[in-house]
């Protein structure tokens, strides 16, 4: 009996030892006792890199060295080669082979699809890196762009809110805006300022950041989860009830002076555009849409036409009543990823982890300049004003984007042509009484002709240069 017990104990010991020998290999090995490493990183320029992240990181990891590759060179290559930023950016990454890749949303998706980025999921699981503290929906959005896996993290994000002049609302006994209003509700509120003042002293209820009618329309449509292309992404579908409603809503707001817009004329490439912030500062605009960067201007210039400080506040941007927890205005501009073929993945991960961690979010919030940390617990208020409206809504799914299906570089040239078509039809509605039905039908026909023309021009250019 004793022999059987001894045999059982021996067997258990062997199994335990074998379990240790064959335990799962860590996703990334440790740096070692001295924590040494060297990594190359894409950034705007070396000075800004160290002031933004490098100095803080090196205070904690003094033995990790950086080589900063200046992405400003990409613009020079564009001018030399007559190419797009996206094309030169991908060539730039291939040429320099950085360990850490700073990228925008579109290039991030393409790099992930091509297997150029390291999947962070295993090391995040290994180290129990906290993903729960991020802006709701942000990690889901990054996973969507990575085909289900997490290939990068973003320390900052951008979104827009509706800023309002509380004193104007109080003076004219109008209820101020609130969070999660629909566009119908916002424009109805704005219309209550119509007819107040005249000439240079006219007060408008609302304006887009630059006062262009097409931008206002696209924001309204984007917030309503409208998409320009059909499911196959082959043609424009515009002659529908929902698009007609958006056209009618925009035209009515312009016609009734509920909103300020620039003249409904085509906009030429290279046109200088002016922000409506000055009108807001002067007390001539009750509400305007803007990003978190506007807070800096409000701090420095918030004086109305009488030199009095503006009592400003902000609420969330308008939402789609069918999806009131989502925002079409939220996106990330810099995503940090690790190259899949990087020989320095552990050191690179230490940096990506640090710049996306609580410590850096806390530091950024203390010196707020307009950047919004993606971690929600560190940006509670600015100048005594709650920052909750910036963090209240989830990013809209990528597939819900108005321009979904059009690559951004292609979209840029096509959008200007399409915008001018839209302005022409809005002008006909506002000034000549054209119906939304007629305008939507014309936009669908002419818009598809413009789309076909743009795609043929792109195809010819690719054939000329030998691009795929």
């Amino acid at each position: 009996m004793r022999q059987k017990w001894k045999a059982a104990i021996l067997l258990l010991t062997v199994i335990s030892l074998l379990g240790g020998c064959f335990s799962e290999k860590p996703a990334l090995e440790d740096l070692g006792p001295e924590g040494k490493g060297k990594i190359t990183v894409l950034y705007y320029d070396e000075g800004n890199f160290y002031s933004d992240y490098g100095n803080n990181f090196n205070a904690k990891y003094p033995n990790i060295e950086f080589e900063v590759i200046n992405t400003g060179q990409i613009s020079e290559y564009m001018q030399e080669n007559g190419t797009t930023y996206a094309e030169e950016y991908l060539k730039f990454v291939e040429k320099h082979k950085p360990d850490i890749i700073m990228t925008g949303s579109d290039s991030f998706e393409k790099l992930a699809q091509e297997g150029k980025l390291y999947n962070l999921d295993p090391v995040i699981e290994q180290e129990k890196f906290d993903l729960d503290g991020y802006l709701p929906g942000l990690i889901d959005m990054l996973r969507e762009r990575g085909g289900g896996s997490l290939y990068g993290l973003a320390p900052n994000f951008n979104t827009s809110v509706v800023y309002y002049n509380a004193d104007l609302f109080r003076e004219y006994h109008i209820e101020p805006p609130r969070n999660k209003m629909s566009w119908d509700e916002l424009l109805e509120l704005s219309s209550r300022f119509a007819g107040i003042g005249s000439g240079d002293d006219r007060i408008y209820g609302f304006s887009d950041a630059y006062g262009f009618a097409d931008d206002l329309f696209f924001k309204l449509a984007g917030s309503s989860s409208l998409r320009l292309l059909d499911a196959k992404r082959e043609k424009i579908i515009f002659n529908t009830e929902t698009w007609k409603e958006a056209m009618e809503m925009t035209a009515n707001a312009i016609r009734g002076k509920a909103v300020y817009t620039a003249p409904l004329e085509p906009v030429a490439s290279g046109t200088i555009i002016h922000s409506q912030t000055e009108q807001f500062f002067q007390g001539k605009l009750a509400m305007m849409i803007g990003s978190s960067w506007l807070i800096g201007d409000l701090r420095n210039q918030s004086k109305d036409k009488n030199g009095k400080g503006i009592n400003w506040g902000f609420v969330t941007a308008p939402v789609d009543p069918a999806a009131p927890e989502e925002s079409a205005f939220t996106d990330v501009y810099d995503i940090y990823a690790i190259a899949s073929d990087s020989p320095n993945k552990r050191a690179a991960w230490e940096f990506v982890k640090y710049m996306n961690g609580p410590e850096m979010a806390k530091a950024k919030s203390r010196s707020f300049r307009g950047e919004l940390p993606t971690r929600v617990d560190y940006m509670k208020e600015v100048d005594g004003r709650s920052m909750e409206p910036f963090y209240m809504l989830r990013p809209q799914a990528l597939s819900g984007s108005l321009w979904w299906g059009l690559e951004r570089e292609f979209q840029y040239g096509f959008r200007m042509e399409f915008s001018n078509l839209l302005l022409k039809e809005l002008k006909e509605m506002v000034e000549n009484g054209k119906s939304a039905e007629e305008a939507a039908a014309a936009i669908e026909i002419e818009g598809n002709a413009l789309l076909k023309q743009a795609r043929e021009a792109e195809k010819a250019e690719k054939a000329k240069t030998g691009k795929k």
Side-chain angles (χ1 to χ4, degrees):
M1 186 71 175
R2 182 177 295 178
Q3 292 298 324
K4 290 182 179 180
W5 278 108
K6 285 183 177 179
I9 292 170
L10 180 61
L11 180 61
L12 288 172
T13 303
V14 170
I15 290 172
S16 177
L17 290 171
L18 287 174
C21 292
F22 294 106
S23 61
E24 186 177 347
K25 184 180 179 182
L28 293 175
E29 300 290 349
D30 289 337
L31 276 174
E34 296 183 6
K36 288 186 176 181
K38 183 175 182 179
I39 46 180
T40 56
V41 56
L42 294 186
Y43 207 71
Y44 304 109
D45 64 69
E46 188 170 10
N48 280 329
F49 170 78
Y50 279 104
S51 64
D52 289 346
Y53 297 108
N55 290 333
N56 285 332
F57 179 77
N58 277 150
K60 188 171 183 178
Y61 297 92
N63 294 326
I64 294 181
E65 299 177 38
F66 291 105
E67 178 186 350
V68 181
I69 303 169
N70 185 352
T71 58
Q73 303 171 65
I74 297 175
S75 298
E76 299 173 12
Y77 297 143
M78 287 170 59
Q79 295 175 355
E80 290 175 8
N81 302 325
T83 48
T84 66
Y85 186 90
E87 291 168 337
E88 290 297 339
Y89 173 83
L90 294 173
K91 288 193 292 185
F92 193 78
V93 171
E94 189 64 30
K95 175 183 177 182
H96 292 281
K97 296 189 179 302
D99 298 301
I100 296 173
I101 300 172
M102 179 188 69
T103 178
S105 298
D106 290 348
S107 296
F108 172 68
E109 188 172 3
K110 187 172 182 60
L111 289 167
Q113 289 173 349
E114 294 178 354
K116 301 292 180 65
L117 305 180
Y118 172 67
N119 186 349
L120 300 178
D121 282 321
V123 70
I124 285 174
E125 173 62 27
Q126 172 187 309
E127 301 196 355
K128 308 302 179 188
F129 181 72
D130 175 32
L131 296 179
D132 293 333
Y134 281 95
L135 175 75
L138 178 76
I139 298 300
D140 293 337
M141 182 179 73
L142 293 173
R143 286 193 187 281
E144 181 187 16
R145 291 175 176 172
S149 296
L150 191 59
Y151 289 100
L153 292 169
N156 307 301
F157 76 104
N158 186 51
T159 194
S160 291
V161 295
V162 172
Y163 291 87
Y164 66 94
N165 183 328
D167 291 333
L168 279 179
F169 282 89
R170 186 179 299 108
E171 181 179 352
Y172 294 102
H173 308 289
I174 299 172
E175 190 73 19
R178 66 182 190 279
N179 292 318
K180 300 183 182 180
M181 296 180 75
S182 67
W183 276 102
D184 268 326
E185 292 170 325
L186 181 71
L187 294 177
E188 192 283 326
L189 179 63
S190 175
S191 70
R192 300 183 65 184
F193 286 91
I196 297 177
S198 61
D200 291 340
D201 292 323
R202 177 186 291 277
I203 294 174
Y204 285 92
F206 178 78
S207 175
D208 174 68
Y210 294 99
F212 288 119
D214 55 317
D215 282 347
L216 172 63
F217 174 81
F218 289 137
K219 284 182 171 62
L220 187 155
S223 299
S224 302
S225 302
L226 292 176
R227 291 203 318 217
L228 196 61
L229 299 187
D230 66 353
K232 294 182 179 179
R233 295 180 276 181
E234 294 176 349
K235 60 181 180 179
I236 292 170
I237 302 295
F238 202 91
N239 193 12
T240 67
E241 289 305 313
T242 49
W243 280 110
K244 292 172 192 175
E245 288 171 7
M247 289 288 288
E248 194 72 66
M249 191 184 301
T250 306
N252 286 342
I254 296 170
R255 189 186 302 114
K257 306 296 183 184
V259 297
Y260 167 80
T261 61
L264 299 173
E265 300 294 342
V267 179
S269 178
T271 299
I272 297 174
I273 59 177
H274 300 282
S275 170
Q276 293 303 300
T277 53
E278 193 61 34
Q279 300 300 313
F280 186 77
F281 295 154
Q282 293 178 5
K284 297 178 181 180
L285 190 60
M287 297 178 287
M288 70 171 291
I289 201 160
S291 73
S292 57
W293 293 92
L294 181 56
I295 290 178
D297 291 337
L298 286 165
R299 283 169 150 178
N300 298 327
Q301 304 179 40
S302 54
K303 305 288 184 183
D304 65 15
K305 59 187 177 182
N306 299 315
K308 179 183 175 184
I310 294 175
N311 181 15
W312 52 274
F314 46 82
V315 296
T316 66
V319 300
D320 181 358
E325 303 301 322
E326 293 185 0
S327 172
F329 296 91
T330 301
D331 201 1
V332 289
Y333 44 92
D334 288 337
I335 303 169
Y336 292 87
I338 300 171
S340 58
D341 59 355
S342 167
N344 306 302
K345 289 188 181 69
R346 166 48 77 175
W349 164 245
E350 291 297 337
F351 179 67
V352 171
K353 178 174 65 173
Y354 179 78
M355 70 189 305
N356 285 278
E359 190 175 340
M360 181 53 67
K362 187 175 183 180
K364 286 280 185 179
S365 66
R366 286 175 172 171
S367 56
F368 178 70
R369 296 175 298 179
E371 291 179 323
L372 294 168
T374 47
R375 289 190 174 273
V376 301
D377 292 334
Y378 301 93
M379 201 73 217
K380 295 298 186 182
E381 63 177 43
V382 169
D383 295 349
R385 296 170 174 87
S386 170
M387 295 293 283
E388 186 181 13
F390 286 100
Y391 288 89
M392 189 177 289
L393 305 176
R394 298 169 57 88
Q396 185 184 65
L398 181 64
S399 57
S401 168
L402 171 68
W403 300 94
W404 184 72
L406 293 177
E407 292 184 7
R408 187 164 297 184
E409 297 293 339
F410 172 81
Q411 178 196 125
Y412 176 77
F414 168 72
R415 176 171 168 169
M416 178 167 287
E417 297 293 331
F418 189 80
S419 291
N420 285 335
L421 168 62
L422 177 72
L423 287 170
K424 181 185 76 171
E425 294 301 322
L426 277 173
K427 183 175 182 178
E428 287 294 311
M429 290 178 67
V430 172
E431 298 179 5
N432 301 319
K434 191 171 188 176
S435 70
E437 288 78 8
E438 293 174 299
I443 288 172
E444 181 167 303
I445 293 170
E446 294 183 49
N448 274 305
L450 289 173
L451 181 63
K452 182 180 178 181
Q453 180 182 345
R455 282 176 167 164
E456 287 176 349
E458 182 187 45
K459 186 177 180 180
E461 179 64 23
K462 286 183 177 180
K464 180 180 176 181
T465 58
K467 298 175 185 175
K468 294 183 179 180

